[in-house]
Amino acid sequence: QSVLTQPPSVSGAPGQRVTISCTGNSSNIGAGYDVHWYQQLPGTAPKLLIYGNSNRPSGVPDRFSGSKSGTSASLAITGLQAEDEADYYCQSYDSSLSGAVFGGGTQLTVL
Amino acid sequence: EVQLVESGGDLVQPGGSLRLSCSASGFTFRSYVMHWVRQAPGKGPEYVSAMSSNGGNTYYADSARGRFTISRDNSKNTLWLQMSSLRPEDTAVYYCVRESNGYNWAYDYWGQGTLVTVSS
């Protein structure tokens, strides 16, 4: 059972928009800690996609955006492309556990 | 180019020990907090341990505390994870990860990982 809760899967057709939610509690997201998002392509290491709730590292397309409100955060992907098919993980810091916590991951399928 | 290269993963029996290494290049290693993060087969990533840039502070997840020891040598640009009393639930790919200098607990670079399998 992951500390942060994500839907196991989402799907969308090419060109569509999808969102992935990430729900925490008052010890992590709700305490004001930043949320970060990672993309993991099959057989590879996770890659930082969004940091500090809504910032994109250099090289990440602006089709990817992040937001945070209260005890939750969301990742939005617009203009879906086949290459976006991957697992997506949210991550934050938890003060009661004194360490990073991750969501269980969401598998994105591009139909 | 930032590179993190892990090594040392192996098949080990329950109760055994293993030492993982991470060789870093392409950045000023001594300036960054470094972490170990693991991912069990089919599961999400899990934070294991972290060490401050100068090696003065160490941090552990509850699952690692008392059994794992993180260390680093900034003169050799190397991070280690000494693991003992290994359990089957420690089976995972172990990643060496760099923490972003601007955002605490954001992992901006990951190694390719090294597989640890704990089984009899």
Side-chain angles (χ1 to χ4, degrees):
Chain A
Q1 190 85 356
S2 300
V3 174
L4 304 180
T5 301
Q6 299 178 233
S9 64
V10 297
S11 62
Q16 284 191 331
R17 177 182 187 269
V18 297
T19 61
I20 298 173
S21 62
C22 174
T23 302
N25 58 38
S26 58
S27 296
N28 41 68
I29 299 174
Y33 294 107
D34 286 334
V35 177
H36 318 296
W37 291 90
Y38 302 87
Q39 178 192 60
Q40 187 173 32
L41 298 171
T44 69
K47 167 194 163 187
L48 183 63
L49 194 65
I50 296 286
Y51 65 93
N53 306 315
S54 59
N55 302 289
R56 286 186 308 276
S58 168
V60 173
D62 60 6
R63 302 186 295 104
F64 296 89
S65 62
S67 63
K68 173 190 158 184
S69 178
T71 59
S72 296
S74 288
L75 173 71
I77 311 171
T78 59
L80 266 182
Q81 299 181 5
E83 67 204 49
D84 298 334
E85 218 170 68
D87 292 326
Y88 293 83
Y89 296 94
C90 61
Q91 178 243 319
S92 185
Y93 176 82
D94 191 287
S95 58
S96 64
L97 297 173
S98 299
V101 289
F102 287 87
T106 299
Q107 183 176 56
L108 169 63
T109 300
V110 181
L111 302 170
Chain B
E1 179 194 4
V2 172
Q3 285 200 332
L4 299 167
V5 179
E6 304 93 335
S7 60
D10 204 348
L11 170 62
V12 60
Q13 291 190 339
S17 299
L18 209 56
R19 188 197 202 199
L20 306 183
S21 300
C22 170
S23 177
S25 61
F27 65 103
T28 305
F29 181 72
R30 65 179 180 272
S31 297
Y32 287 85
V33 176
M34 297 297 296
H35 295 239
W36 288 98
V37 174
R38 69 185 182 184
Q39 188 171 25
K43 303 292 186 182
E46 177 192 13
Y47 158 73
V48 174
S49 182
M51 176 167 261
S52 60
S53 57
N54 65 4
N57 293 293
T58 57
Y59 310 89
Y60 297 95
D62 288 344
S63 58
R65 191 172 293 113
R67 299 188 301 128
F68 295 1
T69 302
I70 190 172
S71 60
R72 66 191 291 165
D73 185 335
N74 286 344
S75 68
K76 297 180 179 178
N77 290 349
T78 302
L79 179 75
W80 293 281
L81 184 69
Q82 177 69 48
M83 304 185 293
S84 61
S85 303
L86 283 163
R87 307 163 180 164
E89 55 264 37
D90 295 319
T91 294
V93 174
Y94 284 71
Y95 294 102
C96 172
V97 183
R98 191 181 87 167
E99 180 179 308
S100 165
N101 254 350
Y103 284 81
N104 290 343
W105 298 90
Y107 299 135
D108 60 359
Y109 284 94
W110 299 59
Q112 87 288 348
T114 188
L115 177 61
V116 173
T117 303
V118 184
S119 175
S120 55

